[in-house]
Amino acid sequence: MSNNFNYYTPTRVVFGKGTEEQTGALVKAQGCRKVLLHYGSGSARKTGLLDRIEKSLQEAGIAYVELGGVVPNPRLSLVYQGIALCRKEGVDFILAVGGGSVIDSAKAIGYGVVNEGDVWELYDRKKQATGCLPIGVVLTIAAAGSEMSSSCVITKDEGGVKRGYASDYCRARFAIMNPELTTTLPDYQTACGCTDILMHTMERYFTNGGHMELTDSIAEGLMRTVLRNAEILRDHPDDYEARAEIMWAGSLSHNDLTGCGIQEKDFASHALEHEIGGMFDVAHGAGLAAVWGSWARYVYMNCLDRFEMFALRVMEVEPGRDAQETALRGIEAMEAFYRRIGMPTSLRELGIAPTDEQLVELARNCSIASGGKKGSAKVLQEADMLAIYRASL
Ligand code: NZQ
Ligand code: ZN
């Protein structure tokens, strides 16, 4: 059964080779006075991209200030710095050059400038945003989908608490996506990105909240495309066509296209991973791969028809004797894919060894962050979260 939906995707996408040259013109069209050019920890400077962006802004006659240094699992401390800088300089537009971490840092700064009080209160569920500075994006990694999503994930430095906040205010005005820019990525980051892209659709696909045939077909096509092209990139990282397929999939996977008509998304694997990312500072995609198999085995009987469909239509396994066997084959095939692209399928393979005390803490925090329960394939309580963490060791 399909559900009513409200699909809002206001981001202008400028896609393809050399599109970053249009940055100045696109920013100028926003009619802003001063821009914050926000970027990461080195790659954009090293590849020469930042020089080209600066030149493009200068040629368009745009005033800007810069703030680099965003790290993966972007930190609240830099967000505070960015807010202070924007206020001092009268910044009214933020240009994020980077991946999910830079874009999310830009969104949080944008919230902080517009909303009075401590911006962390949004992430702490203590208040709601009433606006955000407008954001533009030059994307350098296909992964988080933040360039078209409504969400923003920030890590508080003390205690490593990673929390998300979503609203339409932070949706990017434009996203420049040149797949060529992603060829400088380390293989590990490319694989992490492909994993995250798959997961954003899987989190919507494994649901007990209704579905639509068209949405399912889009989701399955997207997942098959990512599975195929991730392996092409493993062997041929410079393949432009594969880079392009993955980059476009990354945006469509998290702009809610694959959630239309589905009332409840699952997102339990994401909730489980965010706590791990906060505590152990691991790459988001790798953290997802490490917990997914344990999550899937824990919940699949509660959502058997969807797991069976996934096995047959996405992983394209031979049917088993019954739906259960087919579903399990699909889960195994997914884990085998993760291994083939160098992703972990357990916390040990992820390179961390949490104590049982830490697992208990992760489950408690995951439950708090989720408001007590999470999921649609199966609704998880804190005890379920702990069981999944333990199974994923
Ligand atoms: O900082 P630099 O030096 O740029 O290095 C980055 C970083 O180390 C590097 N990199 C990026 N583009 C590159 C490059 N290196 C060489 N060449 C390039 N072209 O890659 C590393 C990872 O970058 P990051 O931005 O952290 O990756 P990603 O896009 O995966 O973002 C991850 C963050 O997004 C959050 C995650 O939790 C995590 O904090 N998410 C955000 C979402 C959203 N806002 O909608 C949804 C996601 O589910 C996710 O939670
Ligand atoms: Zn994700």
Side-chain angles (χ1 to χ4, degrees):
M1 187 201 66
S2 68
N3 299 282
N4 296 2
F5 61 87
N6 181 332
Y7 179 55
Y8 178 62
T9 176
T11 306
R12 175 186 298 281
V13 174
V14 183
F15 193 97
K17 292 180 186 176
T19 44
E20 67 276 16
E21 283 162 25
Q22 298 175 42
T23 306
L26 282 159
V27 173
K28 195 166 189 178
Q30 296 293 323
C32 48
R33 287 188 310 274
K34 199 166 197 181
V35 172
L36 175 69
L37 179 54
H38 199 37
Y39 50 90
S41 305
S43 78
R45 182 64 72 195
K46 206 163 117 201
T47 59
L49 174 64
L50 266 184
D51 297 336
R52 300 208 298 285
I53 300 291
E54 287 161 351
K55 190 162 164 262
S56 179
L57 291 175
Q58 287 157 13
E59 280 171 3
I62 291 158
Y64 61 89
V65 287
E66 298 196 7
L67 180 64
V70 180
V71 293
N73 298 317
R75 304 297 198 271
L76 182 61
S77 51
L78 191 73
V79 169
Y80 288 147
Q81 273 186 50
I83 296 167
L85 180 64
C86 287
R87 288 198 170 132
K88 180 167 152 263
E89 296 283 341
V91 164
D92 57 358
F93 188 87
I94 306 180
L95 181 65
V97 179
S101 295
V102 175
I103 303 167
D104 286 3
S105 183
K107 289 175 173 178
I109 293 170
Y111 280 134
V113 172
V114 170
N115 296 276
E116 286 300 313
D118 184 356
V119 71
W120 184 251
E121 290 189 349
L122 298 176
Y123 301 84
D124 228 4
R125 307 268 175 279
K126 293 204 175 115
K127 68 176 183 197
Q128 292 294 328
T130 55
C132 182
L133 282 187
I135 311 281
V137 172
V138 179
L139 190 63
T140 65
I141 169 173
S146 186
E147 66 279 5
M148 286 186 90
S149 82
S150 65
S151 71
C152 168
V153 188
I154 295 294
T155 297
K156 189 176 191 177
D157 309 55
E158 307 87 58
V161 186
K162 187 173 174 182
R163 292 283 178 272
Y165 179 73
S167 89
D168 284 331
Y169 295 121
C170 76
R171 289 195 190 257
R173 299 291 171 96
F174 64 79
I176 296 172
M177 298 190 221
N178 176 358
E180 280 182 332
L181 299 180
T182 66
T183 51
T184 52
L185 280 167
D187 294 343
Y188 184 74
Q189 287 296 339
T190 298
C192 285
C194 292
T195 303
D196 196 18
I197 294 167
L198 282 166
M199 284 297 307
H200 291 152
T201 290
M202 288 153 72
E203 298 277 28
R204 293 167 166 93
Y205 192 83
F206 294 116
T207 175
N208 284 310
H211 64 103
M212 290 181 86
E213 186 184 323
L214 178 58
T215 300
D216 283 346
S217 298
I218 293 170
E220 288 154 4
L222 188 149
M223 289 188 277
R224 284 194 302 268
T225 301
V226 176
L227 290 168
R228 190 165 51 247
N229 286 283
E231 294 206 50
I232 294 175
L233 288 182
R234 179 198 57 197
D235 301 332
H236 307 284
D238 291 335
D239 188 311
Y240 177 82
E241 297 305 324
R243 289 278 172 197
E245 299 290 349
I246 295 289
M247 191 172 236
W248 188 216
S251 300
L252 296 187
S253 193
H254 204 33
N255 76 352
D256 230 9
L257 178 64
T258 61
C260 292
I262 291 167
Q263 198 169 37
E264 301 162 359
K265 305 165 196 170
D266 191 86
F267 275 90
S269 300
H270 266 75
L272 293 163
E273 190 289 326
H274 280 173
E275 299 308 322
I276 296 171
M279 191 183 282
F280 296 99
D281 203 18
V282 298
H284 172 62
L288 289 170
V291 296
W292 183 79
S294 304
W295 167 85
R297 286 192 179 79
Y298 193 82
V299 307
Y300 79 101
M301 285 303 283
N302 216 54
C303 192
L304 192 55
D305 56 337
R306 305 292 289 174
F307 274 90
E308 185 188 19
M309 262 170 64
F310 174 78
L312 295 172
R313 299 188 192 172
V314 180
M315 303 314 297
E316 298 176 327
V317 302
E318 288 297 317
R321 275 162 306 184
D322 53 23
Q324 184 177 353
E325 192 178 33
T326 306
L328 281 171
R329 283 185 185 177
I331 294 170
E332 279 157 20
M334 189 72 212
E335 288 184 316
F337 163 79
Y338 283 147
R339 286 189 209 100
R340 286 200 298 281
I341 62 165
M343 284 289 101
T345 54
S346 67
L347 297 182
R348 188 176 51 79
E349 287 174 15
L350 180 62
I352 62 169
T355 60
D356 201 60
E357 212 176 15
Q358 285 174 318
L359 295 181
V360 169
E361 191 183 336
L362 287 171
R364 192 182 321 115
N365 288 339
C366 186
S367 167
I368 292 169
S370 313
K373 57 184 182 358
K374 190 79 183 174
S376 171
K378 180 178 170 71
V379 179
L380 305 178
Q381 317 274 345
E382 185 177 331
D384 304 304
M385 296 166 184
L386 181 57
I388 295 170
Y389 280 133
R390 282 185 175 140
S392 65
L393 275 174

